[in-house]
Amino acid sequence: MKGNLIPLDKLPIGSQCIVEKLLAEGIIRRRMMDLGLINGTLIKSLMKSPSGDPIAYEIRGTKIALRSEEASKVLVMQI
Amino acid sequence: MYEVKLESPDDIVIALAGNPNTGKSTVFNSLTGLNQHTGNWPGKTVSNAQGKFTHKDKKYILVDLPGTYSLLSSSVEEEIARDFICFGNPNVTIVVTDATCLERNLNLALQIMEITNNVIICVNLMDEAKRKNMSIDIEKLSNLLGVPVVATTARSGDGLDDLKNMVEKVANGEIIPTPKQISYDEILETAIKQVQPYVETIADNLNSKWVSLRLIDNDQSLINSMNNHINYNFSDDKLLQTKLDDVRAKLESEGYQLYDLRDQVVSSIFKTAEYINNQVLALYDESYNKVDYKIDRILTSRIFGIPIMIALLGLVFWLTIEGANYPSMMLADGLFYIQDHLTSFFTWLGTPIWVHDILILGIYRTLAWVISVMLPPMAIFFPLFTLLEDLGYLPRIAFNLDYYFKKACAHGKQALTMCMGFGCNAAGVIACRIIDSPREQLIAIITNNFVPCNGRFPTLIVLSSIFIAGAASTSSSIAATLFILLAIVMSVIITLFISKILSKTILKGLPSSFILELPPYRKPQVGKIIIHSIFDRTLFVLGRAVMVAAPAGLVIWLMANITVGNFSLLTHCALFLDPFSRLLGLDGYIMMAFILGLPANEIVIPILIMSYTSKGAILELSSLTEMGQLFVENGWTWLTAVCMMIFSLNHWPCGTTLLTIKKETQSWKWTWISFIVPTLTGIILCFIVAQGARLLGLA
């Protein structure tokens, strides 16, 4: 059962997803990978900041906030 | 790289590595007895620290490396950490990890274990893990990793003796760690083996497998470091280059994409970390996280997030103003009581009157003012603020405000550096190191001075208490708090506005990436906070103010008492500055106080009082009411107070901050810009407010 890939920032708050593809490049890509954002990683969308951006995600047991610019470069599949 | 000063060749050097915010600084402090500032936000440790401790008659030198998530991304911190582990020849490397998110921390640990064998893993924050009902099988972890693992709770000192014993055993060879090596896929492993024998001949101190892989990956940063530290010149080594080219060509022919080699490496490491984590971690209670989550939902909610932030700040200020009021009066009474007795004593001794005047009216009285005005608010503000910091609230502020910083083309972490600026702008400027992008870092440095530091709060508190709220009463402290809150909200708006202007002019650019970790809330250690913030911060800042106040008191006394023509030097200067100052709603003496207050903002009000009192009858000021009278006698209105507050918020940074900016930016140009930008802002704002109020007939 394969759904469509969506960018991480479009993931509804409270739902979970699996990372399918990392589109970010260069230093941002490396920074994301350092936090364990690699293909197959489980991510949960936790909460929006008061203005809706950035959004905090749970990644490998830690809370990480990403701006929409960065989160949109992570393609995920909602589960 | 760090210079490690050995006292004898027997000294044992220990490198302390770890992710940001794992309590690394706490481990460092507990082991060395030093007091590096700690706080619950990633990137707290920005200065490099070394310390010593003695264990069983052996001397150990501990080097605190910058906190990093990885060693593969080639940021400055990562290079420093990697180079010290590779070329600093530490006898042992301790990797401090956070028990509550072991998996992410194991990533760094595994990377370090690829470089050096003598690794000890310190699983810290065991108390937090326990509160989350997480249990970690330490023995199994040690077996899986092949290196010693010690569980600690550094805050309470638990496990630190075990850690010292383990360091001793690894250092003297009693225990020989055999770190688990990451296994990459077959193609890559074969490629590594082709380069490895040759690499062994050029860098015999380094792990040849790791170096080989880094060279295949064309890690320029490591090649440069090898050139610097072990005198290995890569560009001359044609043999190695040919070998590497061959290996890369072969990899590509086997369908291996070189550009995602590093991805493969990171993935392999993380998969190993994930596997190990799943093997050793048991019993995870989700309900604990839910509490954390619920708190976060409220503190960052759309409706309450920002109001709660302002309310918390207001509470801190209100407690500071309300609490400092009475002790300030007591201190002033006590210190001026001593002054009277000192005067009697000097009279009894028969010292010349000018000696008495210089020492007592010049130096002592300025000191007395600085202490009575400064000490109580600092002693209340610092612990309260440290409490918020320790809880983990500051990153939430950055999270809440990031959107606005993005709009200003700046970095969300600038909110963190602003928070540090409330304590001391010099500390705020140093904290700007957590911002990676040089452009955004400069913006944060230049605008840091817009948030009032602790040296300027007393000015704001005193003036708003006298002129905005009327004399001391309970409702007045609330009014004063509200006014100061307004001033701070304004300073945040000015910060954003100036950041935007800088981004559009001399520091053009788009906002860079923003990745911020929101650490779990931690139970603050109230007792420790009070002791640390009073002894380390309050007394330190006060000490600095006193050091500056004594000579400043002397200078101002001399200026007020040496007369040229009909007037004193001070009056000459003040008269010269007066016409310009009047345009800004101030007077010449106020401007002089700001200029003489360059070494430290704390002494602006004391200097001003000195100037006014030395002109006429000498007053014994022991209450805000009397101070208010003195100001009114010198022609002050509410507008003067407002303009002085605006100028206090927006003028040149103090001497210490300027020197720090020079040190951080390595440039006089940016130091000057940091001087001019807030000064111009202050002049423009004061001019608008003063002239506007006069035009409207308000003052």
Side-chain angles (χ1 to χ4, degrees):
Chain A
M1 192 187 88
K2 256 200 175 262
N4 288 328
L5 293 187
I6 52 165
L8 181 58
D9 60 321
K10 297 285 180 295
L11 184 72
I13 298 296
S15 51
Q16 294 186 321
C17 66
I18 300 280
V19 176
E20 294 287 335
K21 199 167 171 56
L22 200 54
L23 301 175
E25 279 173 10
I27 191 79
I28 305 167
R29 182 186 184 87
R30 289 190 203 158
R31 289 252 172 274
M32 286 178 164
M33 295 188 78
D34 289 343
L35 298 169
L37 242 167
I38 52 174
N39 290 354
T41 306
L42 180 75
I43 295 183
K44 188 177 176 190
S45 172
L46 291 178
M47 66 218 177
K48 287 184 177 178
S49 79
S51 356
D53 183 28
I55 298 174
Y57 303 93
E58 187 178 308
I59 303 171
R60 294 186 192 261
T62 56
K63 266 179 230 154
I64 308 284
L66 298 174
R67 279 182 182 164
S68 57
E69 282 84 350
E70 275 76 55
S72 63
K73 293 191 179 123
V74 185
L75 294 186
V76 300
M77 178 137 37
Q78 193 178 339
I79 50 171
Chain B
M1 201 165 65
Y2 303 111
E3 288 290 325
V4 180
K5 288 185 205 86
L6 294 184
E7 283 166 15
S8 88
D10 294 339
D11 287 356
I12 292 159
V13 179
I14 308 165
L16 199 62
N19 279 11
N21 214 37
T22 52
K24 213 158 61 69
S25 297
T26 316
V27 171
F28 179 86
N29 288 345
S30 311
L31 285 176
T32 59
L34 288 175
N35 287 324
Q36 261 231 81
H37 182 60
T38 58
N40 188 8
W41 48 283
K44 183 70 209 61
T45 304
V46 282
S47 55
N48 310 323
Q50 282 180 36
K52 309 182 269 230
F53 67 92
T54 311
H55 179 64
K56 295 187 185 161
D57 298 328
K58 272 227 171 267
K59 274 229 177 73
Y60 294 83
I61 295 176
L62 199 57
V63 180
D64 197 7
L65 301 177
T68 59
Y69 292 115
S70 157
L71 293 179
L72 292 171
S73 295
S74 316
S75 71
V76 182
E77 292 82 17
E78 292 181 18
E79 275 174 22
I80 293 173
R82 181 201 62 199
D83 284 358
F84 189 79
I85 295 168
C86 285
F87 310 109
N89 299 321
N91 300 75
V92 181
T93 301
I94 300 175
V95 185
V96 182
T97 59
D98 179 349
T100 63
C101 55
L102 196 59
E103 183 177 334
R104 221 262 316 279
N105 284 254
L106 282 175
N107 170 45
L108 178 72
L110 288 166
Q111 288 186 31
I112 291 175
M113 284 158 49
E114 282 193 296
I115 304 177
T116 165
N117 283 345
N118 285 348
V119 174
I120 297 173
I121 306 292
C122 163
V123 183
N124 193 31
L125 299 171
M126 288 301 281
D127 54 339
E128 293 290 323
K130 203 172 163 190
R131 290 208 302 157
K132 288 190 173 187
N133 279 330
M134 297 167 95
S135 109
I136 293 165
D137 190 336
I138 297 292
E139 210 182 305
K140 196 169 182 186
L141 180 61
S142 176
N143 288 335
L144 285 168
L145 290 173
V147 301
V149 179
V150 182
T152 62
T153 302
R155 302 201 292 180
S156 60
D158 283 355
L160 289 176
D161 280 328
D162 299 342
L163 185 61
K164 285 183 196 170
N165 288 331
M166 196 58 86
V167 168
E168 184 200 2
K169 283 179 189 159
V170 173
N172 67 20
E174 206 174 309
I175 290 179
I176 299 169
T178 48
K180 176 186 173 68
Q181 295 300 306
I182 304 291
S183 37
Y184 300 101
D185 60 32
E186 215 171 298
I187 304 171
L188 196 51
E189 290 279 349
T190 319
I192 293 170
K193 285 205 182 79
Q194 282 172 306
V195 194
Q196 203 174 351
Y198 182 75
V199 169
E200 268 166 23
T201 64
I202 52 171
D204 51 351
N205 271 335
L206 301 174
N207 181 311
S208 55
K209 182 182 175 186
W210 177 74
V211 176
S212 306
L213 181 55
R214 304 273 22 93
L215 288 176
I216 296 171
D217 190 24
N218 200 15
D219 188 337
Q220 281 302 329
S221 142
L222 182 71
I223 290 171
N224 294 340
S225 293
M226 283 170 74
N227 192 356
N228 290 338
H229 297 295
I230 56 171
N231 252 332
Y232 165 73
N233 197 335
F234 180 76
S235 51
D236 288 348
D237 194 339
K238 299 289 177 239
L239 188 61
L240 180 62
Q241 288 182 22
T242 323
K243 260 189 194 304
L244 287 173
D245 286 343
D246 286 352
V247 167
R248 287 190 196 123
K250 188 148 181 280
L251 275 174
E252 277 194 328
S253 73
E254 278 164 348
Y256 223 95
Q257 302 296 336
L258 278 179
Y259 62 81
D260 66 15
L261 190 93
R262 204 168 288 197
D263 285 16
Q264 298 282 345
V265 171
V266 176
S267 294
S268 303
I269 297 173
F270 253 111
K271 279 180 184 140
T272 313
E274 194 178 307
Y275 168 78
I276 294 175
N277 184 60
N278 293 342
Q279 293 284 310
V280 299
L281 182 68
L283 237 170
Y284 183 46
D285 182 8
E286 279 283 343
S287 67
Y288 181 91
N289 260 10
K290 277 195 185 123
V291 177
D292 238 47
Y293 179 57
K294 268 187 190 149
I295 298 174
D296 260 342
R297 283 298 288 255
I298 298 168
L299 292 183
T300 65
S301 79
R302 208 163 66 87
I303 302 165
F304 300 115
I306 290 175
I308 287 179
M309 201 174 74
I310 294 173
L312 269 174
L313 202 64
L315 183 69
V316 168
F317 287 124
W318 181 73
L319 287 171
T320 306
I321 294 172
E322 184 70 21
N325 207 344
Y326 189 61
S328 264
M329 273 184 344
M330 294 238 302
L331 270 173
D333 284 344
L335 290 167
F336 287 114
Y337 174 79
I338 295 174
Q339 181 187 322
D340 291 343
H341 281 262
L342 282 172
T343 301
S344 318
F345 179 66
F346 274 83
T347 320
W348 178 77
L349 274 182
T351 43
I353 191 82
W354 63 270
V355 174
H356 164 265
D357 284 3
I358 285 184
L359 290 177
I360 303 299
L361 300 185
I363 297 174
Y364 180 86
R365 214 168 45 173
T366 314
L367 281 180
W369 267 112
V370 168
I371 292 171
S372 60
V373 173
M374 291 276 306
L375 184 59
M378 279 200 308
I380 298 170
F381 180 85
F382 273 141
L384 286 176
F385 189 77
T386 315
L387 194 74
L388 284 182
E389 196 183 346
D390 235 39
L391 269 168
Y393 184 62
L394 300 196
R396 271 75 187 178
I397 295 183
F399 182 63
N400 282 344
L401 293 180
D402 176 64
Y403 179 77
Y404 304 101
F405 282 98
K406 187 168 85 178
K407 287 272 163 211
C409 301
H411 202 284
K413 284 184 188 169
Q414 196 173 329
L416 283 175
T417 67
M418 279 171 58
C419 287
M420 294 320 287
F422 280 126
C424 165
N425 290 125
V429 167
I430 295 175
C432 293
R433 289 184 196 168
I434 57 169
I435 300 171
D436 288 330
S437 141
R439 185 187 73 85
E440 288 164 3
Q441 192 185 357
L442 272 174
I443 291 177
I445 288 176
I446 294 169
T447 56
N448 193 271
N449 196 52
F450 287 117
V451 290
C453 67
N454 233 274
R456 288 184 274 167
F457 278 135
T459 308
L460 300 178
I461 292 172
V462 164
L463 295 183
S464 59
S465 302
I466 296 174
F467 285 92
I468 312 301
S473 71
T474 318
S475 65
S476 83
S477 65
I478 293 176
T481 304
L482 287 176
F483 194 78
I484 288 178
L485 264 186
L486 188 75
I488 285 170
V489 171
M490 240 183 66
S491 72
V492 174
I493 293 171
I494 291 173
T495 301
L496 290 167
F497 184 70
I498 299 288
S499 298
K500 177 97 187 180
I501 290 181
L502 290 171
S503 295
K504 294 292 167 204
T505 54
I506 49 174
L507 284 165
K508 268 200 188 98
L510 295 168
S512 73
S513 66
F514 174 74
I515 296 177
L516 175 76
E517 182 175 356
L518 300 174
Y521 293 104
R522 283 183 198 148
K523 203 174 124 197
Q525 294 177 292
V526 179
K528 258 193 185 160
I529 286 177
I530 292 173
I531 292 169
H532 275 266
S533 47
I534 288 187
F535 286 96
D536 299 345
R537 299 176 91 176
T538 309
L539 291 185
F540 172 76
V541 175
L542 185 73
R544 206 181 59 197
V546 164
M547 298 266 287
V548 173
L554 181 66
V555 168
I556 192 85
W557 187 88
L558 290 174
M559 287 185 73
N561 286 279
I562 296 173
T563 47
V564 180
N566 287 331
F567 299 119
S568 68
L569 271 180
L570 182 72
T571 310
H572 276 297
C573 293
L575 284 175
F576 173 74
L577 292 168
D578 208 58
F580 173 66
S581 311
R582 297 267 167 207
L583 286 177
L584 309 183
L586 309 170
D587 69 25
Y589 288 99
I590 302 175
M591 194 51 89
M592 264 315 277
F594 277 117
I595 292 172
L596 289 170
L598 175 73
N601 282 300
E602 291 86 344
I603 60 174
V604 170
I605 287 268
I607 289 179
L608 190 58
I609 294 169
M610 281 281 294
S611 318
Y612 284 152
T613 51
S614 67
K615 284 199 311 179
I618 289 164
L619 283 168
E620 295 269 309
L621 297 171
S622 57
S623 74
L624 287 178
T625 327
E626 287 171 46
M627 204 193 290
Q629 271 169 12
L630 176 72
F631 289 155
V632 172
E633 277 164 23
N634 281 281
W636 280 45
T637 63
W638 66 269
L639 184 63
T640 323
V642 168
C643 286
M644 178 158 176
M645 287 169 81
I646 294 176
F647 203 72
S648 172
L649 283 169
N650 308 283
H651 72 292
W652 50 85
C654 73
T656 316
T657 307
L658 284 172
L659 287 177
T660 311
I661 294 172
K662 167 71 182 53
K663 219 166 124 191
E664 291 297 309
T665 59
Q666 297 288 328
S667 134
W668 283 113
K669 179 187 150 197
W670 293 115
T671 312
W672 271 111
I673 290 175
S674 309
F675 182 95
I676 287 164
V677 167
T679 307
L680 265 182
T681 311
I683 290 175
I684 292 168
L685 282 176
C686 282
F687 183 80
I688 293 172
V689 170
Q691 300 308 319
R694 281 172 195 157
L695 272 178
L696 296 172
L698 295 172

